[in-house]
Amino acid sequence: RSYVPQMMRHTHISQLLSDGMAETEVSQRAGHANPAITLSIYAHAIPKADDKLVKMFGVQFEAAMEQAENESQ
């Protein structure tokens, strides 16, 4: 039994989701009936929103600190 095609498919779909491709597009590419099926199998591959929020907050915080420093001069 060869699992190589299945592993390649799983890796490909996981990578698409990890790279931020829309779940609906990935679901269609995978041939799933709907995105819920894709998400139930590949949720682990979707970047956590929390990571993005932390990065966004860091950028906003740094900008606010820089602005406050410039205003105090």
Side-chain angles (χ1 to χ4, degrees):
R1 225 187 230 191
S2 175
Y3 292 99
V4 173
Q6 290 173 329
M7 286 191 275
M8 290 176 65
R9 171 187 164 87
H10 184 79
T11 301
H12 176 65
I13 294 169
S14 295
Q15 189 64 50
L16 291 174
L17 291 168
S18 178
D19 288 346
M21 190 170 184
E23 290 91 353
T24 52
E25 293 175 18
V26 176
S27 180
Q28 288 174 351
R29 184 177 189 96
H32 295 152
N34 59 62
I37 294 170
T38 307
L39 294 175
S40 71
I41 299 168
Y42 297 97
H44 68 278
I46 299 171
K48 294 181 181 174
D50 219 25
D51 294 343
K52 290 181 185 177
L53 291 173
V54 169
K55 287 179 186 175
M56 286 174 50
F57 177 76
V59 169
Q60 292 173 348
F61 182 77
E62 287 179 17
M65 292 300 290
E66 186 176 317
Q67 181 179 356
E69 186 177 310
N70 290 338
E71 289 174 359
S72 69
Q73 293 177 356

